[in-house]
Amino acid sequence: MSARKIIIDTDPGQDDAVAVLLALASPEDISVLGITCVAGNVPLDLTARNARMVCELAGKTDIPVFAGCDRPIAGALITAEHVHGRTGLDGPDLPMPKMPLRDRHAVDFIIDTLRTNPPGTVTLCALGPLTNLATAFEKAPDIVERVQEIVLMGGAYFEVGNITPAAEFNIHVDPEAAAKVFSAGMSLVVMPLDVTHKALVTRGRNDAIRALATPVAIAVAEMTDFFERFDKAKYGSEGAPLHDPCVIAYLLRPDLFSGRHVNVEIETVSPLTRGMTVADWWGVTDRAPNALFVGDLDANGFFALLTERLSRY
Ligand code: RIB
Ligand code: CA
């Protein structure tokens, strides 16, 4: 079977970086057509820099990287340096990138790619706020029906929020963008905190990655060492939740995940719950299901997959 064509839209972010490394380690399964950067964990100039640093770490400098939207559709940008550090990729000491950004805006790359590939053959993997995707759909409504699927990390329901009591970060940064994506009508797979908080990089799992003893593996271990301090202090968890790699792992091994096809709406009005993903888990409304809302994973299988793929570098 030919490799699945994807665009990775991202705001690196240590967990984004691991997701990109997982995708780039799997060329027989995944063809990364491009990486589009968005403001989120840190401002756009840093996410666009970090994405190229990760591509160079992976030895994949042929991957086109594009800068996209530097702020949400409405409201001010909210960033997460308190989680990811000032650079967004604190932990390893990686060199500044040499590979250039591509000239085109990320939104135009998304539009052009969907228009020039056969309908239903390109998957959008969203690892940050959904600003680039929503802006592309607004600018070029014809591309919506050409998307094969969107697999995104975002939202929370039974796990509640991580940036406010009600909202997960990616959705909270740009609720208007999320509302547009969730109402677009295409096939949508959502990896909320409900599942990503079960993908914890415990000490043993991180040691197994570090034991690969390659520059990529050591960088991943150092990213996780930095990234986990926040979640361990906040949740008392055994390690960092690897949020974004769940998106790529789903493409590689969907059998590792389970969820329910339900209606998910986005709160955009109330200051108290802005960015909340309201999942009709028990079907108590007449709102049509619009997303596969993933709630569980085989964590040992996930880390076995991740470690094996990282060993290929
Ligand atoms: O809430 C977790 C999400 O927000 C992850 O994508 C992380 O990288 C940050 O973007
Ligand atoms: Ca992210």
Side-chain angles (χ1 to χ4, degrees):
M1 195 167 83
S2 62
R4 183 161 181 172
K5 294 187 285 187
I6 75 170
I7 293 173
I8 299 176
D9 192 76
T10 180
D11 64 334
Q14 290 88 351
D15 60 318
D16 302 69
V18 180
V20 170
L21 290 167
L22 177 58
L24 296 179
S26 312
E28 72 284 1
D29 301 298
I30 293 174
S31 171
V32 179
L33 302 180
I35 295 176
T36 52
C37 303
V38 67
N41 285 322
V42 287
L44 179 66
D45 63 319
L46 286 174
T47 61
R49 188 195 75 176
N50 295 343
R52 287 176 288 151
M53 289 164 73
V54 175
C55 287
E56 292 186 349
L57 173 66
K60 307 276 186 175
T61 54
D62 58 322
I63 299 289
V65 178
F66 303 84
C69 299
D70 64 359
R71 71 200 66 183
I73 288 173
L77 176 62
I78 299 166
T79 53
E81 288 88 347
H82 61 292
V83 179
H84 300 274
R86 187 190 56 76
T87 71
L89 216 48
D90 285 27
D93 183 15
L94 298 176
M96 288 298 112
K98 295 185 178 63
M99 66 185 281
L101 273 176
R102 297 300 172 95
D103 292 338
R104 253 184 307 169
H105 191 284
V107 167
D108 295 326
F109 171 74
I110 292 169
I111 294 169
D112 296 345
T113 303
L114 286 165
R115 282 179 173 164
T116 53
N117 281 272
T121 63
V122 177
T123 293
L124 304 180
C125 295
L127 312 181
L130 295 168
T131 317
N132 285 342
L133 271 61
T135 304
F137 296 163
E138 183 69 29
K139 186 173 181 181
D142 61 287
I143 67 171
V144 171
E145 62 186 15
R146 301 180 70 92
V147 176
Q148 178 179 22
E149 186 165 56
I150 292 180
V151 186
L152 68 88
M153 190 280 140
Y157 194 60
F158 296 104
E159 188 67 8
V160 300
N162 62 355
I163 191 74
T164 75
E168 176 277 329
F169 179 79
N170 287 341
I171 308 300
H172 181 67
V173 169
D174 198 339
E176 282 73 19
K180 187 158 189 68
V181 170
F182 276 68
S183 62
M186 69 200 71
S187 174
L188 189 58
V189 178
V190 180
M191 294 285 165
L193 297 179
D194 303 62
V195 65
T196 67
H197 277 184
K198 297 173 183 173
L200 299 180
V201 190
T202 61
R203 179 54 42 204
R205 287 166 175 165
N206 206 29
D207 287 348
I209 292 171
R210 197 189 310 272
L212 297 174
T214 61
V216 166
I218 291 165
V220 167
E222 291 173 344
M223 285 183 208
T224 303
D225 286 340
F226 180 87
F227 182 53
E228 74 176 9
R229 83 212 183 291
F230 175 79
D231 287 87
K232 288 176 91 169
K234 179 175 178 181
Y235 300 103
S237 54
E238 284 181 74
L242 273 191
H243 305 288
D244 295 336
C246 288
V247 169
I248 304 302
Y250 176 80
L251 299 184
L252 296 170
R253 286 280 310 279
D255 60 293
L256 294 175
F257 298 88
S258 62
R260 188 178 291 186
H261 201 239
V262 296
N263 177 269
V264 181
E265 301 286 339
I266 311 296
E267 168 64 66
T268 59
V269 176
S270 158
L272 193 60
T273 54
R274 182 165 160 77
M276 180 176 181
T277 46
V278 182
D280 185 5
W281 190 258
W282 301 110
V284 297
T285 73
D286 58 359
R287 297 194 293 257
N290 60 340
L292 173 62
F293 201 76
V294 178
D296 209 355
L297 88 162
D298 168 358
N300 288 330
F302 170 77
F303 280 97
L305 170 70
L306 175 62
T307 307
E308 187 277 321
R309 293 294 162 111
L310 291 178
S311 74
R312 298 181 178 190
Y313 282 105

